[in-house]
Amino acid sequence: MTDRLYYTDSFLHEFEARVLATVDAAEGISVTLDRSAFYPTSGGQVFDTGWLEVVGDASGPARLRVQDVTEDEQTGDVLHLIECESSALKAGDVVRGLIDADRRRDHMQQHSGQHVLSAAFEKLYDMATVSFHMGDERCTIDLATESVSPKQLRAAERLANEVIAEDRPVEIRFATPEEARTMGVRKIPPAEREKLRLIDIHDFDLNACGGTHVGSTGQIGSILLRKTEKVKQGVRVEFVCGLRAVGTARRDFEALTEGATLFSTHIWEVPQQIRKAQEEMRAAQKAQHKLLEEVAELQGVSLLQSAEERGGQKLVVQYFSDRDLNFIKMLAQKVTKAGQAVALLACGGAQPSLVFAQTSGLPGDMGGLMKQTVQALGTRGGGNRDMAQGGAPDGDRAESAIADAAKLVAQ
Ligand SMILES: [Zn+2]
């Protein structure tokens, strides 16, 4: 079993170890060392990255990139995935491991921040954390509760940041499960283990955990709570700590500033401005609809007047290159209501379409005529006896399709 050096020292960024075994993997080799400071993905925390250097290589140390770190749950070994030729490392080699310190610090800030935040929710509202997830950008905890109010969110964020400002010591301790039960550990894992590793945030939280943690709460920097979301097991709370919190706040600020500039206003006025713009847009849409209806009404009357009459009914055949389906539907209704008429209308534009309509009670079958038309065009459409609509491949073919349909109506 790999001796896990991070267990007792989260700040160890360099170490020497011996290669025990290498196995060919899909993209390189999987290396087992006798000891390692690399953290493998587990317990909600993601893996460290870094490098392995071969010690004593005459041609100078080759730096091999550690891409991924996992644990073999059966043997307890830490597996380092390295993208390289299988001959680059062999059992017995002595290597120097180097941890990517920026990534490690980020993970420590997120994970220790999570402990502080979970303890804050538990202390304030008795809300237990049932799971923790650390992503590349955001972290989440799931709280066993029905709901979290904005006020509770603010209070937990406030308490967590106070604990950070107090810079309380964070210590790693070891205890048996029996001892842990008498010590008031927040959550004892169900797995049978001889010794539990405990993370002790002085006078605030004591929790069993295998992760890498800060030396004192001040190193977390800050906690910023984000959105909440209802999930199966409770409420998911999104958060970011340390430099991620600063980066997230900066991005938020820049997005808000861009929005505020577009509205020529202060960032805090942006929601109000958006509401105002939405109202104006709704009013404009309503006015536009009303105008179009009036245009359709007038155009309907005019088309009807100039249309030829066949056997007591008018036949209106018209193509519009710059109108849409909604308009020609509206127009078809106006035409067929204003007199005894059949309207064969088409439009071009982004969605070339056809609308066939007749005054209710006339003997034609618009649905049947449309079926025949779209079959010839290779498109889809249909409807009932009095009203039908369909698609056309383009404006030109929509225009010729209504001319062809008009010949059928004439028969
Ligand atoms: Zn933990």
Side-chain angles (χ1 to χ4, degrees):
M1 202 208 287
T2 314
D3 181 11
R4 301 187 185 206
L5 303 173
Y6 65 82
Y7 249 47
T8 47
D9 187 359
S10 296
F11 291 86
L12 183 72
H13 292 147
E14 246 188 273
F15 64 98
E16 268 196 14
R18 189 173 293 277
V19 175
L20 295 182
T22 68
V23 177
D24 284 341
E27 290 166 28
I29 55 172
S30 171
V31 179
T32 311
L33 305 172
D34 61 346
R35 55 210 293 271
S36 179
F38 281 93
Y39 184 83
T41 298
S42 52
Q45 185 180 331
V46 289
F47 60 95
D48 282 321
T49 58
W51 303 266
L52 290 185
E53 285 179 356
V54 182
V55 176
D57 191 334
S59 57
R63 265 199 160 192
L64 304 170
R65 178 82 182 150
V66 177
Q67 307 267 11
D68 190 4
V69 186
T70 58
E71 66 178 350
D72 184 326
E73 277 177 31
Q74 268 161 9
T75 62
D77 280 334
V78 175
L79 307 173
H80 309 74
L81 185 80
I82 292 162
E83 206 176 297
C84 66
E85 300 288 321
S86 25
S87 59
L89 278 179
K90 58 184 186 305
D93 280 350
V94 175
V95 291
R96 180 177 296 117
L98 301 148
I99 307 289
D100 182 329
D102 287 346
R103 183 175 162 99
R104 163 65 68 85
R105 180 176 61 184
D106 172 57
H107 293 176
M108 282 158 56
Q109 287 183 326
Q110 309 313 315
H111 199 156
S112 298
Q114 179 258 313
H115 281 219
V116 172
L117 184 61
S118 289
F121 273 114
E122 189 142 331
K123 277 188 201 318
L124 290 173
Y125 307 111
D126 206 20
M127 293 175 182
T129 294
V130 286
S131 81
F132 162 50
H133 172 76
M134 184 193 294
D136 284 337
E137 286 190 9
R138 290 171 284 271
C139 306
T140 59
I141 49 172
D142 289 353
L143 298 171
T145 178
E146 281 297 305
S147 65
V148 179
S149 70
K151 197 178 158 205
Q152 289 175 322
L153 212 64
R154 281 195 293 271
E157 185 181 63
R158 168 94 201 182
L159 175 58
N161 280 294
E162 275 169 4
V163 169
I164 290 170
E166 286 157 10
D167 199 21
R168 298 180 187 225
V170 178
E171 278 167 339
I172 301 165
R173 294 164 64 181
F174 292 90
T176 63
E178 291 71 42
E179 286 166 344
R181 263 179 271 278
T182 65
M183 290 159 78
V185 173
R186 183 153 53 85
K187 199 165 129 192
I188 296 172
E192 280 295 315
R193 276 189 213 146
E194 274 178 40
K195 279 274 181 195
L196 286 175
R197 179 174 182 265
L198 304 174
I199 302 302
D200 186 354
I201 299 172
H202 189 69
D203 281 347
F204 190 68
D205 185 47
L206 184 62
N207 196 28
C209 177
T212 52
H213 287 274
V214 295
S216 66
T217 55
Q219 292 168 349
I220 298 167
S222 59
I223 297 185
L224 178 66
L225 297 196
R226 309 274 294 161
K227 65 175 183 190
T228 60
E229 182 188 357
K230 191 93 188 71
V231 291
K232 213 170 165 190
Q233 54 189 350
V235 173
R236 182 160 294 167
V237 177
E238 191 182 289
F239 68 97
V240 276
C241 302
L243 288 175
R244 281 196 200 194
V246 176
T248 305
R250 162 108 340 247
R251 266 217 314 273
D252 291 353
F253 178 77
E254 283 169 1
L256 271 171
T257 301
E258 200 181 326
T261 308
L262 289 170
F263 285 113
S264 304
T265 189
H266 190 276
I267 57 167
W268 295 323
E269 306 283 319
V270 168
Q272 197 190 325
Q273 290 291 337
I274 291 175
R275 268 194 290 275
K276 207 175 127 204
Q278 281 177 332
E279 271 168 31
E280 282 168 1
M281 198 163 67
R282 272 193 289 272
Q285 279 170 345
K286 230 172 135 182
Q288 195 202 18
H289 184 82
K290 199 162 166 279
L291 277 176
L292 273 178
E293 212 159 0
E294 282 169 17
V295 170
E297 186 98 49
L298 289 170
Q299 204 154 18
V301 170
S302 141
L303 282 170
L304 212 52
Q305 275 170 358
S306 57
E308 59 171 309
E309 189 165 337
R310 290 180 192 175
Q313 69 184 48
K314 294 266 192 173
L315 179 62
V316 174
V317 184
Q318 189 71 40
Y319 169 71
F320 298 89
S321 61
D322 56 353
R323 295 284 186 196
D324 64 3
L325 174 62
N326 272 334
F327 180 80
I328 59 170
K329 265 161 82 176
M330 211 190 286
L331 182 59
Q333 278 165 0
K334 302 286 182 197
V335 167
T336 54
K337 276 208 179 103
Q340 297 283 307
V342 171
L344 306 178
L345 308 178
C347 66
Q351 195 193 344
S353 307
L354 308 169
V355 171
F356 298 167
Q358 71 177 5
T359 306
S360 182
L362 289 182
D365 177 10
M366 298 299 112
L369 185 59
M370 182 59 78
K371 272 227 168 81
Q372 209 176 329
T373 305
V374 292
Q375 211 160 34
L377 289 171
T379 55
R380 286 146 69 102
N384 56 34
R385 282 184 63 83
D386 292 339
M387 183 79 172
Q389 72 178 66
D394 54 58
D396 285 348
R397 294 188 65 189
E399 192 175 5
S400 59
I402 48 173
D404 292 343
K407 287 176 202 149
L408 295 172
V409 171
Q411 280 166 5

